Amino acid sequence: MLIGHTLPRGGSTYLSVLVARLRAGDVLSLAGRPYAVPSVTSIPKRSLPEGLYASEGVQRHLVTCDPASGYTRWSDGQLHANNNLVVTLDPA
């Protein structure tokens, strides 16, 4: 699993630009290897599914904040996206 941050409205990072453009059927390169994108899913930030933590297998996941889900101010005083965006990657 690869995890990274996007920024609240008005900012941009590599992940916020890349992930916003990814769609099922796309192919990208990760560590020099091609991966196909079978799905892009927005899920609540409560917790990530156990399957994302698998230590074996060839499937990878790119996880970042989902700016399209809106923002809520958390107890740390910062705005956080309501959802995570999970991009599933299969070897191509």
Side-chain angles (χ1 to χ4, degrees):
M1 175 177 15
L2 303 171
I3 300 174
H5 287 282
T6 58
L7 298 173
R9 294 181 277 292
S12 69
T13 64
Y14 179 74
L15 282 177
S16 64
V17 172
L18 174 67
V19 171
R21 295 180 179 165
L22 289 173
R23 301 289 181 262
D26 287 346
V27 176
L28 61 99
S29 178
L30 177 64
R33 295 185 175 170
Y35 283 85
V37 177
S39 66
V40 179
T41 308
S42 182
I43 61 172
K45 278 202 166 187
R46 283 179 244 125
S47 65
L48 294 173
E50 284 295 317
L52 297 185
Y53 296 97
S55 60
E56 296 181 9
V58 296
Q59 193 173 64
R60 301 289 182 256
H61 298 90
L62 176 61
V63 180
T64 190
C65 300
D66 181 3
S69 68
Y71 290 86
T72 301
R73 190 167 308 278
W74 286 14
S75 61
D76 65 2
Q78 301 296 313
L79 287 174
H80 294 270
N82 295 318
N83 288 0
N84 280 319
L85 202 56
V86 178
V87 179
T88 301
L89 304 173
D90 288 332

